[in-house]
Amino acid sequence: MSSAILLIAHGSRRPAANADLLEVARRLGERRPGELIEVAYLELAEPDIPTGARRCVERGAREVRLLPWFLSAGAHVRDDLERYRREFTELYDGVRFACCPPLGIDELMIDVLQKRLDEADGGAKLSASDLAS
């Protein structure tokens, strides 16, 4: 295996919240057959990011893309993940580590927000007059 995806979430004390990342990884794997995918959490859950990176390298990855399951490029993405990228590059000679952008602003994200609003509304769309009252 020459490349890997290290899918990274913040982590939670709630196991059900952490399980979401495993489902995301499974679904991503369906779309990227043959590609190595590992998960890791920044804090509060295991495996942590160094463990996830080590697993990628042990499984033969020569390139590891750190893929954040974060909405925006806040401190965790810009600082923490970049720091890990530098550390892993020094630690694993001959393995390339790259940081992917966060989910960010994308038309698909707006679609998801619209879907969640519709679900909360029971599928009914609110009109301007509904909002004014």
Side-chain angles (χ1 to χ4, degrees):
M1 184 79 44
S2 62
S3 70
I5 298 167
L6 182 57
L7 183 61
I8 301 168
H10 186 275
S12 173
R13 290 183 182 89
R14 298 185 63 229
N18 295 326
D20 285 352
L21 189 65
L22 298 174
E23 179 63 15
V24 170
R26 185 190 69 75
R27 292 184 186 193
L28 184 59
E30 289 175 352
R31 294 182 182 201
R32 303 185 74 93
E35 193 151 13
L36 170 62
I37 300 176
E38 289 283 345
V39 299
Y41 301 94
L42 183 67
E43 57 188 25
L44 305 174
E46 295 292 330
D48 62 9
I49 295 171
T51 300
R54 181 178 43 78
R55 287 179 180 171
C56 290
V57 174
E58 287 175 348
R59 293 179 66 190
R62 305 309 297 162
E63 176 185 44
V64 180
R65 288 166 288 165
L66 308 176
L67 179 59
W69 181 246
F70 289 80
L71 289 176
S72 60
H76 288 318
V77 172
R78 294 182 74 113
D79 301 335
D80 298 333
L81 295 188
E82 178 57 26
R83 176 177 45 82
Y84 277 121
R85 186 199 65 74
R86 287 191 310 269
E87 286 176 14
F88 299 153
T89 297
E90 290 181 22
L91 183 61
Y92 299 108
D93 189 43
V95 180
R96 180 180 178 270
F97 287 86
C99 289
C100 299
L103 296 170
I105 298 174
D106 185 287
E107 214 42 52
L108 294 172
M109 294 300 290
I110 305 304
D111 292 344
V112 170
L113 290 172
Q114 182 62 49
K115 180 180 177 187
R116 295 298 179 251
L117 286 167
D118 291 347
E119 290 168 352
D121 296 338
K125 302 217 189 295
L126 298 176
S127 67
S129 62
D130 291 331
L131 296 173
S133 51

